[in-house]
Amino acid sequence: MRLSKVSAISLDLDDTLWPFGPAVARAEATLLAWLLQHAPKTAGVLASPAVLRDLRARYEGKNPHLAHDYRALRLGSILLALEMAGEDASLAEDAYDAFFAARQQVEFFEDALPALEWLSARFPLVAVSNGNADLKVTGGHHFFRAALSAGTFGTAKPAAAIFHAAAAAVDTPPAQMLHVGDDPDLDVAGALGAGLQAAWLVRPDGPHTAQWQRGGARPHLILSDLQSLCRALAG
Ligand SMILES: [Mg+2]
């Protein structure tokens, strides 16, 4: 497919502007340290941050209706750890706050901020994320006209509604929106299904490189970094 007129751009956040894995790993290490300090009996059930990840997966398995509510999933899994350890369940909210603050400590990919600067000078930008990063805390907020997240908007990618809301936020017809993201299903198929154009960002060590090798999606553009998006739009 060839790119047609682009009047505005929506961007995914996790694994598009910064690597998600290291941010979550740091946040889980912070959460573990917080729990060991404030609820010391959790030491008996939490041998490593990996246990926190397992608890969250277990909690999600039992609560599929919460699949896109990352706060509820994390909070529920913290409660589970506190209960298993015989600790005070009322500590869960404060523990979550410690996790959430650490989750916002992201490290942008080298190309991300220069690309956002270039793009934002030429196009209105909208963030569209299923995660719960807060651009005001991570940095980069000033490049965006609007930010939609599944948690606050109520619908997650790949549903068309969140893409249409992104287009409406910058008064642009969906067909003139270009959505950029790393996930071939949530970002590429989602955007195409909503009538947007799509750019698939496949970073060399990204989580979806194998799908790219199998030819997993049919976007308008395939990018290895965000500077190449600027080049494509400048040309
Ligand atoms: Mg992503």
Side-chain angles (χ1 to χ4, degrees):
M1 279 186 280
R2 286 190 46 196
L3 207 58
S4 56
K5 181 181 164 69
V6 173
S7 302
I9 297 174
S10 56
L11 288 127
D12 172 52
L13 298 179
D14 291 317
D15 287 320
T16 292
L17 298 188
W18 53 70
F20 183 53
V24 177
R26 267 196 299 275
E28 286 178 335
T30 300
L31 172 58
L32 179 60
W34 193 98
L35 287 169
L36 294 179
Q37 185 188 344
H38 296 91
K41 280 190 276 177
T42 54
V45 289
L46 300 173
S48 73
V51 181
L52 286 169
R53 195 164 292 194
D54 292 346
L55 282 176
R56 186 189 175 288
R58 246 169 67 190
Y59 189 79
E60 182 170 2
K62 286 186 188 151
N63 296 277
H65 62 288
L66 295 176
H68 297 297
D69 191 340
Y70 294 160
R71 182 178 188 280
L73 289 174
R74 182 59 69 176
L75 197 54
S77 66
I78 293 171
L79 263 173
L80 208 56
L82 290 168
E83 283 165 6
M84 284 164 64
E87 280 282 3
D88 180 1
S90 72
L91 292 169
E93 292 273 351
D94 285 349
Y96 177 80
D97 289 347
F99 170 86
F100 189 67
R103 185 257 185 272
Q104 308 296 331
Q105 306 301 307
V106 300
E107 251 176 75
F108 284 82
F109 290 114
E110 219 180 349
D111 53 285
L113 293 174
L116 288 175
E117 182 145 24
W118 190 93
L119 293 167
S120 65
R122 289 157 181 83
F123 302 93
L125 305 183
V126 186
V128 179
S129 174
N130 282 4
N132 53 10
D134 180 348
L135 285 167
K136 287 187 183 135
V137 186
T138 61
H141 174 252
H142 57 292
F143 293 122
F144 289 89
R145 296 276 182 89
L148 296 171
S149 75
T152 53
F153 180 69
T155 306
K157 296 180 289 186
I162 194 164
F163 291 103
H164 291 163
V170 287
D171 271 326
T172 300
Q176 291 178 26
M177 289 287 290
L178 174 64
H179 179 73
V180 184
D182 68 290
D183 194 301
D185 303 316
L186 303 181
D187 291 305
V188 177
L192 294 177
L196 280 70
Q197 302 177 72
W200 187 14
L201 178 60
V202 191
R203 293 185 180 276
D205 303 319
H208 300 291
T209 311
Q211 276 150 292
W212 173 68
Q213 282 158 346
R214 289 197 303 269
R218 298 196 157 270
H220 296 75
L221 290 172
I222 293 180
L223 310 163
S224 57
D225 59 40
L226 290 170
Q227 284 300 334
S228 55
L229 172 63
C230 301
R231 282 195 296 273
L233 293 168

